[in-house]
């Protein structure tokens, strides 16, 4: 993998240095759809306006990178670890002995992360701030290698589903859709399926792990990022057999949509449109299948620092951004088309995150946790009833 990895890293570095994505003059004149590769190797399809947006975004990334490098030079390479902030928390939890400068660092860090972590620093910053480094430090250094060797050749329902999903995970990607890419992704997913048998493997995790592989440089770091994501960042039971956690998240989202975007919620209810038709994939794949990769990773920058509430912010923002269009929709299909067109062309992460954090209103992890507890009993009741009906049908078939 390391040979393929180094080539992939070199290609990404060279691509990051390209100043402009230039469509041909014929394309500019005709305003035709163009295809090009983004920073992480995904083929992007859009019009010339989308290309211009991406050029502007790339320039913002370079400017933001200069800010990060200046801080690295003045405060030290790991300056962002100094505040000892409580990762994934609402506020900053400071030890009494820490000085005001630590609080200033923490406030600076939160703002910087919302503006985006430079791609070259992402692996290091994610690994430290998410808690993955701490989680890895609690086990022997050989843990990942020992695990992958121990489970090699074992066949389970999880491994069979993983093998089925590998070719369907970002098909056409220049590294992921190769024997080497499939093998690396398989080792990460199979390894985790044995680490946590309650989760095992759930469809959707393949897209999450694939994107983690592209960002984190190594399989082992991608594995630990997946572990901290499922064990600490996201709500429990999101990926278990009955997806109870995901069902709870959908109910919480519907409730938040009614509070934060009441006109949209009322209109969609009148159309008998269930928002989970589009949002379930967002929460299971963490937008990896829905948003352009560079926008998804900007959401993940905040996710790994502030926690799962960010998913609600981003999901609400997508609806909020298209409020007027959605209010004019008269068919369920129209709603789906509006949402899918919006996510497909959201090449400017700042457009999404500005709405998410400035126009949705304040939400705390504590508030969302209370909503989850409120919704859990009803979800479990529905799932139990569904299971009883299924068992009854099976008995009748006998």
């Amino acid at each position: 993998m390391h040979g393929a990895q180094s080539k992939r890293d070199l290609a990404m570095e060279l691509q990051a240095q390209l100043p402009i994505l230039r469509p041909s003059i014929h394309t500019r004149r005709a305003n035709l759809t163009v295809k090009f590769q983004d920073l992480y190797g995904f083929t992007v399809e859009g019009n010339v306006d989308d290309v211009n947006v991406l050029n502007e975004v790339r320039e913002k990334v370079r400017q933001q990178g200069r800010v990060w490098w200046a801080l690295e030079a003045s405060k030290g390479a790991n300056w962002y670890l100094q505040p000892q902030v409580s990762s994934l928390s609402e506020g900053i939890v400071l030890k009494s002995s820490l000085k005001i400068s630590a609080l200033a660092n923490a406030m600076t860090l939160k703002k910087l992360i919302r503006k985006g972590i430079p791609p070259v620093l992402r692996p290091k910053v994610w690994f430290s701030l998410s808690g993955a480094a701490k989680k890895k430090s609690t086990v022997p250094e050989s843990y990942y290698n020992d695990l992958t060797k121990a489970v090699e050749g074992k066949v389970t329902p999880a491994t069979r589903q993983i093998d089925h999903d590998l070719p369907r995970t970002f098909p056409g990607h220049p590294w992921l859709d190769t024997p080497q890419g499939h093998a690396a992704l398989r080792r990460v997913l199979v390894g985790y399926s044995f680490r946590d048998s309650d989760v095992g493997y759930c469809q959707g995790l393949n897209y999450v792990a694939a994107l983690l592989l592209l960002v984190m440089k190594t399989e082992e770091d991608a594995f630990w990022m997946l572990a901290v994501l499922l064990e600490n960042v996201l709500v429990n039971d999101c990926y278990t057999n009955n997806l109870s956690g995901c069902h709870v998240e959908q109910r919480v989202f519907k409730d938040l949509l009614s509070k934060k975007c009441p006109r949209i919620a009322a209109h969609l209810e009148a159309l008998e449109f269930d928002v989970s038709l589009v949002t379930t994939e967002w929460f299971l794949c963490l937008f990896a299948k829905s948003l352009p990769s560079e926008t998804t990773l900007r959401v993940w920058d905040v996710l790994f620092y502030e926690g799962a509430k960010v998913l609600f912010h981003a999901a609400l923002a997508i609806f909020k951004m298209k409020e007027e269009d959605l209010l004019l929709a008269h068919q369920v299909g129209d709603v789906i088309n509006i949402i899918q067109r919006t996510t497909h062309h959201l090449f400017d992460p700042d457009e999404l995150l500005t709405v998410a954090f400035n126009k949705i209103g304040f939400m705390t992890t504590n508030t969302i946790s209370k909503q989850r507890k409120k919704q859990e009993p009803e979800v479990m009741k529905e799932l139990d009833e569904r299971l009883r009906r299924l068992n009854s049908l099976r008995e009748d078939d006998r």
Side-chain angles (χ1 to χ4, degrees), residues 117-384:
I117 302 170
V120 70
L121 288 176
R122 239 178 213 134
K124 182 177 77 164
V125 177
W126 278 11
F127 205 67
S128 298
L129 295 181
S130 67
K134 183 178 181 181
K135 186 176 287 289
K136 179 184 176 182
S137 71
T138 63
V139 297
E141 191 172 336
S142 61
Y143 178 94
Y144 179 70
N145 287 333
D146 292 344
L147 177 63
T148 54
K149 288 177 183 177
V151 304
E152 190 174 356
K154 292 189 176 182
V155 178
T156 66
T159 65
R160 285 193 288 268
Q161 186 63 55
I162 290 168
D163 288 335
H164 181 69
D165 287 346
L166 287 175
R168 304 190 299 177
T169 308
F170 299 125
H173 188 277
W175 182 75
L176 287 171
D177 195 13
T178 65
Q180 295 85 355
H182 288 172
L185 180 57
R186 187 183 193 278
R187 283 190 289 271
V188 171
L189 291 171
V190 170
Y192 193 81
S193 76
F194 279 89
R195 173 180 168 87
D196 188 342
S197 58
D198 289 336
V199 171
Y201 170 73
C202 173
Q203 288 178 303
L205 289 180
N206 50 323
Y207 296 99
V208 175
L211 209 46
L212 287 172
L213 268 172
L214 292 180
V215 174
M216 297 306 297
K217 313 293 188 187
T218 71
E219 285 179 34
E220 186 171 6
D221 284 355
F223 171 85
W224 287 111
M225 287 302 299
L226 184 65
V228 81
L229 188 63
L230 300 183
E231 295 165 16
N232 301 95
V233 179
L234 301 177
V235 66
N236 292 336
D237 300 328
C238 248
Y239 297 95
T240 49
N241 286 337
N242 63 3
L243 299 178
S244 60
C246 185
H247 289 297
V248 170
E249 299 293 77
Q250 296 309 304
R251 281 178 165 267
V252 172
F253 177 75
K254 290 174 187 176
D255 188 55
L256 289 172
L257 187 67
S258 296
K259 292 177 180 176
K260 302 292 184 179
C261 308
R263 294 170 67 209
I264 296 175
H267 183 66
L268 296 182
E269 186 176 354
L271 293 178
E272 297 183 347
F273 177 76
D274 186 349
V275 293
S276 64
L277 286 172
V278 292
T279 58
T280 297
E281 181 180 279
W282 297 352
F283 281 82
L284 282 178
C285 300
L286 310 182
F287 298 104
K289 274 189 73 179
S290 309
L291 295 173
S293 67
E294 295 179 59
T295 303
T296 299
L297 296 178
R298 282 287 301 281
V299 174
W300 288 16
D301 285 344
V302 192
L303 172 69
F304 285 123
Y305 185 60
E306 296 188 37
K309 69 166 187 171
V310 173
L311 301 177
F312 293 100
H313 276 278
L316 288 167
I318 292 169
F319 281 88
K320 184 69 174 177
M321 290 166 67
K322 289 297 175 180
E323 181 167 9
E324 298 308 319
D325 290 345
L326 289 170
L327 293 176
L328 294 174
H330 297 295
Q331 303 289 337
V332 168
D334 295 336
V335 175
I336 294 175
N337 287 336
I338 291 168
I339 295 297
Q340 289 182 341
R341 280 200 309 270
T342 301
T343 54
H344 180 76
H345 291 279
L346 256 175
F347 294 109
D348 186 353
D350 288 330
E351 183 183 5
L352 174 66
L353 294 178
T354 297
V355 176
F357 294 114
N358 297 343
K359 297 185 180 180
I360 293 301
F362 187 65
M363 291 190 293
T364 67
T365 295
N366 189 43
T367 299
I368 292 173
S369 295
K370 288 179 180 178
Q371 286 295 318
R372 286 175 180 142
K373 289 179 181 179
K374 175 184 173 183
Q375 299 293 350
E376 279 174 3
E378 192 62 32
V379 167
M380 298 310 298
K381 180 180 176 182
E382 286 185 4
L383 291 174
D384 287 344

Side-chain angles (χ1 to χ4, degrees), residues 57-125:
V57 169
R58 297 282 172 84
E59 181 55 35
K60 287 180 184 177
V61 169
R62 279 188 282 272
Q63 292 173 4
Q64 187 69 358
R66 286 193 283 270
V67 175
W68 279 83
W69 289 122
L71 283 167
E72 293 251 320
S74 65
K75 293 177 178 287
N78 297 315
W79 69 271
Y80 47 83
L81 297 181
Q82 300 309 311
Q84 300 186 34
V85 298
S86 176
S87 184
L88 312 177
S89 67
E90 289 307 314
I92 307 304
V93 180
L94 296 170
K95 293 183 177 179
S96 57
S97 60
L98 291 177
K99 298 179 180 179
I100 295 297
S101 60
L103 178 59
N105 269 1
M107 299 295 286
T108 300
L109 181 60
K110 184 174 182 178
K111 290 178 181 178
L112 277 175
I113 287 175
R114 288 190 176 188
K115 288 183 179 179
I117 302 170
V120 70
L121 288 176
R122 239 178 213 134
K124 182 177 77 164
V125 177

